[in-house]
Amino acid sequence: MSQPDSSVMNRIVSLCKRRGFVYPASEIYGGLNGFWDFGPLGVQLKNNLRDAWWHAMVECSPTGPDGKPVSIVGLDSCIIQHPQTWVASGHVGGFADLMVDCRETKLRYRADHVVVKEVFFVPKGKQEAVSLGILSALDGDEAPSAFAKKAKKLAQKAGGGEVLPIDLEKADNLTTISPDVRDRVIGPDAETAGTLTEPRPFNLMFHSYVGVFQDEDSKVYLRPETAQGIFLQYKNIVDTSRVRIPFGVAQVGRSFRNEVTPRNFIFRVREFEQMEMEFFCPPEDGMMWYEFWVAERMRWWESVGVKKENLFRHIIAKEDLSHYSRGTSDIEYLYPFTAPNFGELEGVAYRTDYDLTQHQKFSKTNLEYIDQEASRRYIPHVVEPASGLTRGVLVMLCEGYQYDESRASPEWLKIKPSLAPIKAGVFPLVNKDGMPEVAEKLYLDLRKNYTCQYDAKQSIGKRYARMDEAGTPFCITVDGETLKDQNVTIRNRDTAQQERVALDKVSSYIAQKLV
Amino acid sequence: MSQPDSSVMNRIVSLCKRRGFVYPASEIYGGLNGFWDFGPLGVQLKNNLRDAWWHAMVECSPTGPDGKPVSIVGLDSCIIQHPQTWVASGHVGGFADLMVDCRETKLRYRADHVVVKEVFFVPKGKQEAVSLGILSALDGDEAPSAFAKKAKKLAQKAGGGEVLPIDLEKADNLTTISPDVRDRVIGPDAETAGTLTEPRPFNLMFHSYVGVFQDEDSKVYLRPETAQGIFLQYKNIVDTSRVRIPFGVAQVGRSFRNEVTPRNFIFRVREFEQMEMEFFCPPEDGMMWYEFWVAERMRWWESVGVKKENLFRHIIAKEDLSHYSRGTSDIEYLYPFTAPNFGELEGVAYRTDYDLTQHQKFSKTNLEYIDQEASRRYIPHVVEPASGLTRGVLVMLCEGYQYDESRASPEWLKIKPSLAPIKAGVFPLVNKDGMPEVAEKLYLDLRKNYTCQYDAKQSIGKRYARMDEAGTPFCITVDGETLKDQNVTIRNRDTAQQERVALDKVSSYIAQKLV
């Protein structure tokens, strides 16, 4: 197996566009940074992953420590909620990035992306080093050359001389230096850069206005997470759904974050989908359920086809936890663009009683749970497995991407059959001699239960290749023999092996393989 | 069958809250007008309706006039798109309601909701009628009493006398009267009302800002319909999906409209879900496909359980058509709150080549379709069946709502079994003697394929009643006999009849009934 010449990630992005998995949003208008649409194959893959999660959470929930299924119900709450929601949750006050502006060019930067350094040179004919000022650059691989370039220009302006080596290992981050030093930092952009303003918070929530007036009273936010919608309806669900603690509430839906720097294809985007579940339990069981859900969620990602070695449990260090969390683990994946490091796919957080307590306080609604059997009232503790559906699709694509030059289509997708956008391709070997009629009949029968595609164009090899690229696990060919013996050829995507199966057994053959 | 005491609609809203179908959004914060959340039962019902539509459109599309399935693919585009999208579509310029403000109270009204009338009285001791001025009221059942009340007060202020009868049949709408009359209209609110301003357009699109600056350049809109996302990706889909005209692109997703007066439960809301499909065809076939899709969509609503007599095809009169449409039919439903009239559920519009032509013009991207076989290029014509998923759920609830005092639960939901939120309740007759073990085993087996609920609490009659309210078609009871003969009792929701079925045949029994 040889490696593709361009980077794996570029190839995946290109395959996604070429085969209709993912397109840039509004592409005919030049696109919109951080927004992507799912095409015909992408939406099927995404729906299948969504349904698999929903099934594993709500319809066929995992077995709990007592050997019985845990109790989880579904919810679908609005993207726009009462603005107090986000005051209580802390998002209005705290969900912000620090930004700085260049006083000359008016360009804006994320403060923690800017590194600074005082740079020196030895003027021509002198012996003593002199400061060129405190320069800055955007953090990353390009930073050393950016510093060197700017220092050289400044040295020339000052009459020429030798710039002293710039040791970036010791470069400061703009957010950590003292204000008086910061005031003298020259912006990271072109030569025309001026000094930078003090860092100011920039909230990541999109806002809008509801109703006919636009003022502070009518200001609302697009949710930055689906989780808060669950806390808002926690009381209604307890009152109307016969659930008893411990139980969970699951939700799939869109969220929005006005990311300053969207990047890495559909990994960090401004509009995305989440699959979140809040699990409510007695305070004393919080740590137990936290460990339960970390293990369960790792298991689930494996069950949808992610190799164990590509998953990593990143336990967030105590000092890095949110003030309300008693434990958080990120389930990380080995993305091509993070390798050899892992990047976030899902977070499992033990959030204690923080959210419900906040909403109780701000809404003045009693959110205590009444345990009648134990004659006890308490605010439940919460464990939250929160994963990205959009990121999940990305993982399916990265994990499934295969490159093998010996195949008709060197690039192909090894997606778990039950999640594949198309389950079966149905082909007449040639488009005559009664074969199309039999193949069409089979197709019409199969598509009642499985997403299928009928294809009679070009050679059978090209049709296999197209299906491989789409990740279709089974290709069914009606040939001359079929008319005599009522058998068809089923070709397996992963092995490229073929077997003969009776026409009337094709449906049950596929059903068996989709478990 | 006797009628409920309060109105049917109030009862449905109340059942929805009580059983967890629909909750007011952000209820603990006092709610947010025009926003509703779907609870545990509601989200299952909504998902089932969504999946039925998707299956009928994308996975198992209808048979076309040539006897072969029409070709339809799926899409999932972003809620936020490039703002030029909405300039091209006409939404920035035209998607607005006319609003008027009261000059005294600063309250704002939709102009077409305000009816006006010059009102007269005969002062005490006089014979001649004198004008009390041009009054206004909000259109609706309350309007006559609002006019009468205000006229009486004004007459008293003027020294008393007899108010002449106010004939509301002839009341004018604020949008249709001449500007000089309009300037004298007194606002519809309390006694402190002043005159009204001229009507000004108020755009129904929510807006926000993308990126770190908030100005006209970064202004974006939340989509007011999913359809435009399809037009934006039309070219990518043609280029990457091997579709050939005629074909359709289907999408399910949220849309937002900043309605001035949200009303009628989840009928007119500010955040809602749509199921839209754009069908692209040669210009000469537009009318044929328009008629095809009207018939097909009517048939589909019947197939999900809506009675024929509760559906109505409302053909929009030529003079009321949008300038670009050559034909539009609304598929209307007999909602309790519109009865005896019908209200909109889905619109099927023949939109000609309007949208693609507009986007071609604004994006300067060639959107012509190249028909290689016919050596011909053209902008395809489009037929759009656009229905509301949120409204569809409302129709399922209204259509399913039954009231029968002879039953344990007088209120129950007759929802098509395949769409029911819970397919089966599984009960041990009593919670001992080995029955729970058998029932739990059956439950664990069934839930792999069907959404089930296990219930061992209270009498079997109460458990039936709870399941009836939730619209569950089958209740399966494990009783003392089961342990001997391996049969269970299955009770049918609609007939309340019971039959004995072998334990190992329960799954196939349900499967058969869900077709």
Side-chain angles (χ1 to χ4, degrees):
Chain A
M1 195 188 288
S2 65
Q3 280 305 305
D5 43 2
S6 70
S7 85
V8 171
M9 201 55 221
N10 287 347
R11 289 222 163 197
I12 292 173
V13 173
S14 153
L15 175 68
C16 281
K17 171 78 190 286
R18 191 173 75 244
R19 290 309 312 267
F21 280 93
V22 180
Y23 306 127
S26 295
E27 195 176 14
I28 61 172
Y29 287 108
L32 196 59
N33 194 8
F35 295 87
W36 298 84
D37 293 348
F38 287 89
L41 293 181
V43 63
Q44 293 289 7
L45 174 60
K46 179 157 73 70
N47 287 353
N48 293 341
L49 190 64
R50 172 198 73 192
D51 293 348
W53 184 87
W54 190 259
H55 185 73
M57 281 290 178
V58 177
E59 294 166 346
C60 200
S61 60
T63 304
D66 64 355
K68 300 200 175 181
V70 297
S71 167
I72 303 181
V73 297
L75 179 75
D76 188 47
S77 68
C78 283
I79 287 169
I80 293 177
Q81 297 285 351
H82 194 289
Q84 277 298 102
T85 306
W86 311 107
V87 179
S89 71
H91 285 87
V92 165
F95 194 60
D97 282 338
L98 289 174
M99 305 293 296
V100 292
D101 295 317
C102 171
R103 290 194 174 94
E104 280 300 318
T105 61
K106 307 299 176 199
L107 289 170
R108 188 166 280 180
Y109 307 94
R110 248 180 81 166
D112 64 342
H113 286 178
V114 176
V115 288
V116 303
K117 187 90 198 130
E118 183 153 18
V119 176
F120 297 89
F121 86 124
V122 182
K124 235 177 224 163
K126 302 274 167 115
Q127 302 258 332
E128 297 280 293
V130 177
S131 174
L132 282 167
I134 302 173
L135 308 188
S136 68
L138 289 176
D139 203 4
D141 295 345
E142 309 287 301
S145 68
F147 272 109
K149 218 183 256 174
K150 206 180 282 176
K152 202 175 159 193
K153 280 212 173 124
L154 286 172
Q156 277 170 347
K157 249 190 194 170
E162 185 205 359
V163 174
L164 296 189
I166 302 160
D167 177 9
L168 270 197
E169 284 298 307
K170 291 184 202 152
D172 278 311
N173 183 303
L174 195 60
T175 57
T176 57
I177 59 178
S178 67
D180 57 310
V181 175
R182 201 183 54 218
D183 282 349
R184 295 187 288 136
V185 172
I186 295 161
D189 45 293
E191 304 146 57
T192 52
T195 55
L196 295 173
T197 62
E198 77 282 15
R200 284 180 288 223
F202 168 73
N203 198 291
L204 292 182
M205 285 194 293
F206 286 97
H207 71 269
S208 191
Y209 301 93
V210 165
V212 287
F213 293 103
Q214 290 180 17
D215 51 31
E216 277 306 305
D217 286 347
S218 65
K219 189 173 179 180
V220 293
Y221 302 93
L222 306 191
R223 66 178 174 206
E225 60 175 40
T226 64
Q228 296 300 323
I230 296 176
F231 295 123
L232 295 184
Q233 293 296 3
Y234 156 80
K235 189 176 152 53
N236 271 334
I237 290 169
V238 168
D239 290 349
T240 66
S241 292
R242 301 173 59 75
V243 285
R244 293 291 166 264
I245 271 178
F247 72 91
V249 180
Q251 168 156 246
V252 178
R254 280 207 208 195
S255 294
F256 296 80
R257 294 182 188 177
N258 197 357
E259 297 284 353
V260 175
T261 44
R263 62 184 178 280
N264 289 329
F265 194 36
I266 56 172
F267 178 77
R268 188 171 303 283
V269 287
R270 287 168 164 161
E271 177 175 343
F272 55 102
E273 271 179 288
Q274 296 183 295
M275 310 187 286
E276 298 194 301
M277 196 272 288
E278 307 300 316
F279 197 75
F280 301 91
C281 66
E284 63 275 17
D285 295 344
M287 280 311 287
M288 183 268 283
W289 284 111
Y290 164 61
E291 289 298 335
F292 173 86
W293 282 111
V294 171
E296 176 55 32
R297 295 302 304 149
M298 297 280 283
R299 191 201 60 72
W300 187 81
W301 284 110
E302 282 183 57
S303 82
V304 292
V306 185
K307 282 185 285 295
K308 204 186 193 89
E309 63 265 31
N310 290 344
L311 291 170
F312 176 71
R313 176 182 178 176
H314 171 193
I315 300 174
I316 307 297
K318 267 223 169 102
E319 59 272 24
D320 295 333
L321 288 176
S322 309
H323 65 93
Y324 50 79
S325 176
R326 291 217 192 126
T328 297
S329 291
D330 283 348
I331 299 175
E332 299 186 333
Y333 176 74
L334 189 67
Y335 298 98
F337 50 82
T338 58
N341 296 315
F342 290 72
E344 194 184 345
L345 166 60
E346 171 161 356
V348 182
Y350 174 19
R351 302 178 65 92
T352 67
D353 58 0
Y354 177 74
D355 304 274
L356 287 180
T357 303
Q358 285 291 100
H359 287 300
Q360 172 168 285
K361 185 173 138 197
F362 280 81
S363 70
K364 298 183 179 66
T365 305
N366 190 327
L367 297 180
E368 283 175 316
Y369 179 77
I370 301 168
D371 182 344
Q372 281 169 328
E373 281 170 42
S375 315
R376 178 185 172 205
R377 307 166 152 258
Y378 57 89
I379 302 271
H381 276 215
V382 169
V383 175
E384 171 191 274
S387 64
L389 172 54
T390 314
R391 278 189 191 170
V393 171
L394 177 58
V395 167
M396 293 298 110
L397 291 165
C398 293
E399 188 74 9
Y401 182 83
Q402 310 289 325
Y403 191 87
D404 180 355
E405 278 188 350
S406 73
R407 293 175 65 124
S409 162
E411 293 182 289
W412 60 286
L413 290 177
K414 193 174 174 179
I415 295 171
K416 188 184 180 189
S418 61
L419 297 178
I422 303 167
K423 302 291 184 268
V426 182
F427 315 146
L429 181 63
V430 289
N431 213 0
K432 56 180 182 181
D433 300 336
M435 292 178 221
E437 290 76 6
V438 176
E440 277 172 23
K441 192 170 166 300
L442 177 65
Y443 164 70
L444 289 178
D445 185 42
L446 290 178
R447 75 182 193 131
K448 290 178 198 155
N449 296 305
Y450 316 104
T451 313
C452 295
Q453 199 162 89
Y454 184 85
D455 191 354
K457 299 258 173 72
Q458 299 177 298
S459 74
I460 205 79
K462 284 200 172 149
R463 285 180 258 172
Y464 285 161
R466 283 200 285 270
M467 285 295 153
D468 279 355
E469 274 192 344
T472 305
F474 308 108
C475 288
I476 306 161
T477 305
V478 170
D479 54 27
E481 292 300 301
T482 306
L483 303 173
K484 296 176 205 155
D485 65 5
Q486 300 294 307
N487 289 328
V488 293
T489 299
I490 302 188
R491 180 237 187 210
N492 185 298
R493 173 197 67 194
D494 301 345
T495 61
Q497 297 297 307
Q498 307 188 354
E499 54 185 309
R500 294 293 282 183
V501 174
L503 252 179
D504 60 1
K505 294 273 183 278
V506 172
S507 184
S508 59
Y509 175 95
I510 296 175
Q512 248 177 24
K513 305 274 184 177
L514 292 186
V515 178
Chain B
M1 195 189 288
S2 66
Q3 279 307 302
D5 43 3
S6 71
S7 86
V8 172
M9 201 56 221
N10 288 346
R11 290 221 161 199
I12 292 173
V13 174
S14 155
L15 174 69
C16 282
K17 172 77 190 287
R18 190 172 76 246
R19 290 309 312 269
F21 280 94
V22 181
Y23 307 126
S26 297
E27 196 177 15
I28 62 172
Y29 288 108
L32 197 59
N33 194 10
F35 295 87
W36 298 83
D37 292 348
F38 287 87
L41 292 181
V43 65
Q44 292 289 11
L45 174 59
K46 180 157 71 71
N47 287 354
N48 293 341
L49 190 65
R50 171 198 71 190
D51 293 347
W53 184 87
W54 190 261
H55 185 73
M57 281 290 179
V58 177
E59 293 166 347
C60 200
S61 61
T63 304
D66 64 354
K68 301 203 173 178
V70 298
S71 166
I72 302 181
V73 297
L75 179 75
D76 188 47
S77 68
C78 282
I79 288 170
I80 294 177
Q81 296 285 350
H82 194 287
Q84 277 298 101
T85 306
W86 311 107
V87 177
S89 71
H91 285 86
V92 166
F95 193 58
D97 281 338
L98 289 173
M99 305 292 297
V100 292
D101 295 317
C102 171
R103 290 196 174 92
E104 281 300 318
T105 62
K106 308 296 175 201
L107 290 170
R108 189 167 279 181
Y109 307 95
R110 244 179 85 165
D112 63 342
H113 285 178
V114 176
V115 289
V116 302
K117 187 87 198 139
E118 183 152 22
V119 176
F120 296 88
F121 86 126
V122 181
K124 234 177 226 166
K126 303 275 169 113
Q127 301 258 331
E128 296 280 296
V130 177
S131 174
L132 281 167
I134 301 172
L135 308 188
S136 68
L138 289 176
D139 202 3
D141 296 346
E142 309 286 301
S145 69
F147 271 106
K149 220 183 256 176
K150 204 179 280 176
K152 204 176 154 190
K153 277 208 176 129
L154 286 172
Q156 277 170 351
K157 251 191 192 168
E162 187 206 358
V163 174
L164 295 188
I166 302 160
D167 178 10
L168 271 195
E169 287 297 310
K170 291 181 201 150
D172 279 313
N173 182 304
L174 193 61
T175 56
T176 58
I177 60 179
S178 67
D180 58 313
V181 176
R182 201 184 54 217
D183 282 348
R184 295 186 289 134
V185 172
I186 295 161
D189 45 295
E191 304 145 56
T192 52
T195 54
L196 296 173
T197 62
E198 77 283 12
R200 284 180 288 226
F202 168 73
N203 198 293
L204 293 181
M205 285 195 291
F206 287 96
H207 70 269
S208 192
Y209 300 93
V210 165
V212 287
F213 293 103
Q214 291 179 17
D215 51 31
E216 278 306 304
D217 286 345
S218 65
K219 189 173 179 180
V220 293
Y221 302 93
L222 306 192
R223 67 178 173 205
E225 59 175 41
T226 62
Q228 296 302 322
I230 296 175
F231 296 123
L232 295 184
Q233 293 296 4
Y234 156 79
K235 188 177 154 54
N236 271 334
I237 291 171
V238 168
D239 290 348
T240 66
S241 292
R242 301 175 55 78
V243 285
R244 291 292 168 265
I245 272 181
F247 72 91
V249 180
Q251 168 156 245
V252 178
R254 277 202 213 203
S255 294
F256 296 79
R257 294 181 188 178
N258 197 357
E259 296 283 353
V260 176
T261 45
R263 62 184 179 280
N264 291 327
F265 194 36
I266 53 172
F267 178 76
R268 189 171 302 283
V269 288
R270 285 166 165 162
E271 177 175 342
F272 54 102
E273 272 179 286
Q274 296 184 294
M275 309 187 287
E276 298 195 300
M277 196 271 288
E278 309 299 317
F279 197 76
F280 301 91
C281 66
E284 63 275 17
D285 295 342
M287 280 311 287
M288 183 269 283
W289 285 111
Y290 165 60
E291 289 299 335
F292 173 87
W293 281 111
V294 171
E296 175 56 32
R297 295 302 304 148
M298 298 280 283
R299 191 201 61 70
W300 186 80
W301 284 109
E302 283 182 57
S303 82
V304 291
V306 185
K307 282 187 284 295
K308 204 185 193 89
E309 62 265 32
N310 291 344
L311 289 171
F312 176 71
R313 175 182 179 176
H314 172 192
I315 300 174
I316 307 297
K318 269 224 167 99
E319 59 272 26
D320 295 333
L321 288 177
S322 309
H323 65 92
Y324 50 79
S325 176
R326 290 215 193 131
T328 298
S329 290
D330 282 349
I331 299 177
E332 299 186 332
Y333 177 74
L334 190 66
Y335 297 98
F337 50 81
T338 58
N341 296 316
F342 290 72
E344 193 182 346
L345 166 60
E346 171 160 354
V348 183
Y350 174 18
R351 303 176 65 92
T352 67
D353 58 0
Y354 177 73
D355 303 273
L356 287 180
T357 303
Q358 285 291 103
H359 287 300
Q360 172 167 286
K361 185 174 138 195
F362 280 80
S363 71
K364 299 184 179 65
T365 305
N366 190 330
L367 298 180
E368 283 176 315
Y369 179 78
I370 301 169
D371 182 343
Q372 281 169 327
E373 282 172 42
S375 317
R376 179 185 171 203
R377 311 166 150 257
Y378 58 89
I379 301 272
H381 277 215
V382 169
V383 175
E384 171 192 273
S387 64
L389 173 55
T390 314
R391 278 191 190 168
V393 172
L394 178 58
V395 167
M396 294 297 111
L397 291 165
C398 293
E399 188 76 8
Y401 182 82
Q402 311 288 323
Y403 191 86
D404 180 354
E405 278 187 348
S406 73
R407 292 175 67 124
S409 161
E411 293 181 290
W412 60 286
L413 289 177
K414 193 173 173 179
I415 296 170
K416 187 183 181 189
S418 61
L419 297 178
I422 303 168
K423 301 291 184 269
V426 182
F427 314 147
L429 181 63
V430 290
N431 213 1
K432 56 181 183 182
D433 300 338
M435 292 177 222
E437 290 76 5
V438 177
E440 277 171 24
K441 192 170 167 298
L442 178 63
Y443 165 71
L444 290 178
D445 185 42
L446 290 178
R447 75 181 193 131
K448 288 177 200 156
N449 295 306
Y450 316 106
T451 314
C452 295
Q453 198 160 89
Y454 184 85
D455 191 354
K457 298 258 172 74
Q458 301 178 297
S459 74
I460 206 80
K462 284 200 172 148
R463 284 179 258 172
Y464 285 161
R466 282 199 286 269
M467 284 296 154
D468 279 356
E469 275 191 345
T472 306
F474 308 108
C475 288
I476 305 160
T477 306
V478 170
D479 55 26
E481 292 301 301
T482 306
L483 304 173
K484 296 174 205 155
D485 66 5
Q486 301 293 307
N487 288 328
V488 291
T489 298
I490 301 188
R491 180 229 185 219
N492 185 297
R493 174 196 66 194
D494 301 346
T495 62
Q497 297 296 307
Q498 306 187 355
E499 53 184 310
R500 295 290 282 182
V501 174
L503 253 179
D504 60 2
K505 293 272 183 281
V506 172
S507 184
S508 58
Y509 175 95
I510 295 176
Q512 247 177 26
K513 304 275 183 177
L514 292 185
V515 177

